């Protein structure tokens, strides 16, 4: 993951309301900056933070770094898994800074949906300027019954796509 502007990170995190027992899931393939900021943010607000990492080396590093933080759980994740989270935990926010491989993108939205509370938000970091990929993600999220999908231009290298899981929408 390319460097992120600190001011933009703070603006993005400002969308998270100060509610007790908020649970945040983060899917990453690398990049200390956003992981560490989410760890600190969840500590300050007494939230739960689950970091699912798709890169084995980065996983080994973060597992050691975060092992003493009881509100943080670090797991190795594969896109081929039937479920991305082993427990039936439901998350309020899902941040995806990982580059989800093309063969797994369509299924990703459907699988992640089952880990989210109704009204939860998924926030994807997509490479800036790739309109085709952005609109493909809109379609995948729609098929996975997410609504109100929008993009925000707030980072130099990434476009943020936010979508909401809503109960009772779709089939």
């Amino acid at each position: 993951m390319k460097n992120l502007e600190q001011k933009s990170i703070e603006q993005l995190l400002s969308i998270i309301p100060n509610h007790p027992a908020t649970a945040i899931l983060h899917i990453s393939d690398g990049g200390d900056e956003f992981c560490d900021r989410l760890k600190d943010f969840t500590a300050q607000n007494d939230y739960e933070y689950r970091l699912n990492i798709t890169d084995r080396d980065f996983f080994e590093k973060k597992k050691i770094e975060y092992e003493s933080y009881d509100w943080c759980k670090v797991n190795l994740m594969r896109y081929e898994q039937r479920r991305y989270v082993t427990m039936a935990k439901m998350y309020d926010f899902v941040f995806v800074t990982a580059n989800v491989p093309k063969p797994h993108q369509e299924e990703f939205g459907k699988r992640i949906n089952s880990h989210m509370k109704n009204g939860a938000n998924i926030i994807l970091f997509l490479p800036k300027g790739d309109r085709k990929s952005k609109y493909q993600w809109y379609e995948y999220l729609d098929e996975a019954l997410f609504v109100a999908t929008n993009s925000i231009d707030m980072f130099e290298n990434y476009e943020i796509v936010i979508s909401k899981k809503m109960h009772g929408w779709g089939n």
Side-chain angles (χ1 to χ4, degrees):
M1 171 166 237
K2 295 179 183 176
N3 287 339
L4 300 172
E5 302 82 46
Q6 200 62 38
K7 183 178 178 183
S8 296
I9 291 173
E10 298 310 317
Q11 286 177 324
L12 182 60
L13 294 181
S14 73
I15 70 169
I16 301 174
N18 188 9
H19 294 157
T22 296
I24 296 174
L25 172 62
H26 178 199
I27 299 173
S28 176
D29 55 10
D32 290 316
E33 188 175 23
F34 195 68
C35 296
D36 292 345
R37 183 59 190 110
L38 273 177
K39 175 189 61 76
D40 294 341
F41 178 79
T42 54
Q44 293 163 357
N45 292 287
D46 198 27
Y47 295 161
E48 178 185 334
Y49 178 40
R50 179 182 203 91
L51 175 57
N52 279 8
I53 300 174
T54 61
D55 177 83
R56 182 167 293 281
D57 293 334
F58 190 61
F59 163 73
E60 294 296 338
K61 175 185 172 188
K62 286 300 181 189
K63 182 178 173 185
I64 293 167
E65 282 181 28
Y66 289 13
E67 68 185 345
S68 64
Y69 305 117
D70 60 347
W71 73 96
C72 293
K73 302 291 182 235
V74 179
N75 293 336
L76 185 62
M77 187 190 102
R78 292 181 348 273
Y79 292 106
E80 298 81 12
Q81 291 173 213
R82 194 175 129 263
R83 294 186 48 86
Y84 297 139
V85 180
T86 55
M87 300 175 0
K89 183 70 180 170
M90 302 296 270
Y91 292 91
D92 300 286
F93 290 87
V94 176
F95 289 91
V96 183
T97 58
N99 182 16
V100 180
K102 192 110 178 106
H104 299 286
Q105 289 177 356
E106 186 171 4
E107 193 62 30
F108 181 82
K110 296 171 187 169
R111 289 185 183 176
I112 204 67
N113 187 301
S114 67
H115 302 301
M116 298 172 67
K117 293 179 183 175
N118 291 324
N121 289 291
I122 185 169
I123 299 108
L124 297 133
F125 285 63
L126 301 178
K128 188 168 264 184
D130 188 352
R131 292 173 54 98
K132 183 178 178 184
S133 176
K134 178 176 82 170
Y135 290 114
Q136 186 66 66
W137 272 108
Y138 276 40
E139 187 177 313
Y140 293 150
L141 291 168
D142 183 60
E143 290 170 5
L145 306 180
F146 286 90
V147 298
T149 304
N150 287 291
S151 63
I152 302 171
D153 182 7
M154 61 188 322
F155 290 99
E156 184 178 330
N157 297 304
Y158 297 97
E159 187 161 4
I160 304 301
V161 171
I162 300 177
S163 197
K164 185 174 284 293
K165 174 185 176 175
M166 294 298 285
H167 176 70
W169 292 74
N171 303 358

